[in-house]
Amino acid sequence: VLISDKTGLSDFVTAHNLGWICKPRVKDIRLKLLEAINDKLTRDEISKRAVLIIQHHFSEKKIIPEYIRHYQF
């Protein structure tokens, strides 16, 4: 994943080493895209781990109670 450091998920992506974080500027996006393209090993490792990490942190079982708690009046 390539994500801006201005998004809410950038800390999560960094903490779980799920991709590349960039500044929302063309030059930085370009550099990070090239870095990702040239780092097949990291892309393969992320592909192996990502599904389990996302299922663990963003399953319905976890998300629904958080949304209910957040939006209760």
Side-chain angles (χ1 to χ4, degrees), residues 4 6 8 11 15 18 40 42 54 56 66 68-71:
S4 163
K6 303 298 182 199
D11 289 340
L18 290 173
K40 182 170 176 10
T42 298
I54 299 305
H56 175 74
E66 289 180 28
I68 291 170
R69 186 172 49 254
H70 182 76
Y71 289 104

Side-chain angles (χ1 to χ4, degrees), residues 1 3 8-21 42-58 62:
V1 112
I3 192 168
L9 284 174
S10 64
D11 289 340
F12 183 85
V13 171
T14 299
H16 295 281
N17 199 19
L18 290 173
W20 292 262
I21 310 300
T42 298
R43 291 192 331 266
D44 289 346
E45 289 172 0
I46 291 169
S47 293
K48 290 176 189 173
R49 297 180 294 105
V51 172
L52 292 176
I53 292 170
I54 299 305
Q55 287 174 344
H56 175 74
H57 289 278
F58 298 101
K62 288 200 173 217

